[in-house]
Amino acid sequence: MRVSLWRMGALALLLSMGSRLPAQTLEPSADTIVRFFGVPLVSYSNDTRWGFGAAGIVTFRGKPLRSSVTFGALYTQRKQVLLYFPFQLFDRSGQWRAYGEAGWYRYLHQYFGIGNQYADDFLETYTARYPRLRLTVLRNLNARQLVGLRYNIDVYRVVSSMAGSEVARGLPPGARGGRSSGFGPVWLYDSRNNQFYPHRGWLTEAALVGEHAFTGSNFEFLRLSLDATRYWPLGARMTLATQVIAQFTGGHAPFFNLSQLGGTKRLRGYPDGKYRDRHLLLGQAEWRFPIVWRFKGAVFAGAGTVFGSPGETWHWRPEGGLGLRFEFDKKQQLHLRLDYGVGEGRKNSGFYLTFGEAL
């Protein structure tokens, strides 16, 4: 989510107050440790006006890595509601892993068109309401490779849109909403030394997810996704993280489920969904380094493109920026992340504040 400077100041103040509190530890038994960190949120933006809520993270033992559930809840003066629970779960035997997100949203979205032909200042808004579930369940093949299945569902309802806009006229596929429900196989390779702030290793995922009437969807399409991230140690305390993402879609995906660039992880600086289309290519890198005490810095850059067909001219969108990290849990290396990213064009820049790393 793109955050205004005014909103950023309110969030930063409250999060910095909360970050001085130690993570709460409960020990029900000798082999179970639960850690909790949470803070209140107060926010303001032109889209939401004042918003109030809370955010935090709960972690507990798994094998080989720690399980975690992040939570966030926000209610705004415009009656927008955001409830979201990203999670990573590891069973005690070390054989199974599950990750994804559960949530419910009522939000004023920005729509910038599909493809690359729209002017940089083209913008429409619409409000959508939907529950969301993203679930991937994997089983170990060996110490580093896992295979399993993925299930995604959004029950998307567009409740209002700008008069005369493309969404109001029903031009983009899925403009009337619908149920997007997909299923397919996933392969994962994970050799990271830490899942929250890796210093070395690989995290690579390949997935093939299809939607059809027999998967419970109102749409028919097939998507191949490839995501490879490498963490390179630069001395004892610095890390270079590099990531490549490719997505290819066949069939008729709704506009809200097309591949997208922008937001907190894919080309920071561009608003959420600034560019969207059937196919996506993205490369980005981030250098992480210590500053003082629990504060760390980051410098990042990248470029990405979306396109509708292989023969289309690719328009690469560059971005770059600076970041600040605060390590609120030193043992697990959990961080609050504040980034400022700048993209191409005068309107493509913004602050981001969240838990965890972008890549």
Side-chain angles (χ1 to χ4, degrees), residues 86-348:
F87 57 87
Q88 296 185 75
L89 305 176
F90 304 87
D91 83 309
R92 301 302 299 277
S93 71
Q95 295 299 309
W96 294 89
R97 178 183 308 193
Y99 55 90
E101 175 193 355
W104 190 91
Y105 300 87
R106 178 189 169 94
Y107 198 75
L108 179 68
H109 286 276
Q110 298 183 101
Y111 172 73
F112 303 90
I114 297 174
N116 297 287
Q117 73 273 21
Y118 289 81
D120 185 58
D121 60 356
F122 177 86
L123 172 62
E124 297 179 355
T125 60
Y126 68 94
T127 298
R129 183 165 52 204
Y130 51 98
R132 164 172 290 173
L133 176 64
R134 303 278 188 266
L135 177 62
T136 300
V137 178
L138 305 173
R139 194 181 192 284
N140 282 3
L141 288 177
N142 52 45
R144 296 181 176 180
Q145 294 189 75
L146 303 94
V147 294
L149 295 172
R150 170 167 296 166
Y151 177 69
N152 299 328
I153 183 169
D154 288 335
V155 183
Y156 207 81
R157 182 185 175 194
V158 178
V159 295
S160 65
S161 55
M162 293 173 57
S165 66
E166 290 194 359
V167 175
R169 289 181 288 154
L171 297 182
R176 305 304 183 204
R179 185 173 57 251
S180 176
S181 175
F183 184 78
V186 179
W187 170 83
L188 185 73
Y189 180 87
D190 188 355
S191 62
R192 298 171 296 169
N193 65 317
N194 180 290
Q195 82 263 36
F196 299 120
Y197 198 75
H199 184 58
R200 63 173 60 87
W202 283 88
L203 179 63
T204 302
E205 180 191 89
L208 183 65
V209 175
E211 298 202 10
H212 192 272
F214 68 79
T215 67
S217 180
N218 298 134
F219 309 98
E220 294 186 10
F221 66 94
L222 183 68
R223 173 170 295 143
L224 172 65
S225 301
L226 305 171
D227 185 338
T229 306
R230 175 73 185 275
Y231 302 94
W232 311 77
L234 303 177
R237 303 180 65 191
M238 294 187 295
T239 304
L240 176 64
T242 58
Q243 182 182 45
V244 175
I245 298 176
Q247 293 184 342
F248 305 98
T249 305
H252 305 284
F255 82 102
F256 56 84
N257 213 348
L258 291 171
S259 297
Q260 299 182 29
L261 293 174
T264 63
K265 292 189 174 184
R266 296 184 179 182
L267 297 191
R268 286 158 282 179
Y270 295 94
D272 285 321
K274 176 65 177 183
Y275 299 104
R276 71 179 76 198
D277 213 326
R278 290 156 49 86
H279 314 302
L280 174 149
L281 295 173
L282 167 67
Q284 55 187 356
E286 181 173 280
W287 173 43
R288 303 169 186 163
F289 52 89
I291 299 177
V292 62
W293 190 49
R294 296 191 178 191
F295 289 96
K296 302 174 184 179
V299 178
F300 55 88
T305 183
V306 297
F307 53 98
S309 64
E312 182 180 324
T313 300
W314 294 354
H315 296 264
W316 289 94
R317 311 295 179 175
E319 60 89 34
L322 302 174
L324 182 67
R325 309 288 184 267
F326 180 80
E327 188 178 51
F328 63 85
D329 188 327
K330 191 171 183 179
K331 183 175 181 180
Q332 299 181 96
Q333 294 186 285
L334 286 164
H335 295 79
L336 295 174
R337 171 166 64 95
L338 169 62
D339 290 330
Y340 180 73
V342 179
E344 182 182 48
R346 62 185 180 86
K347 294 189 176 182
N348 296 319

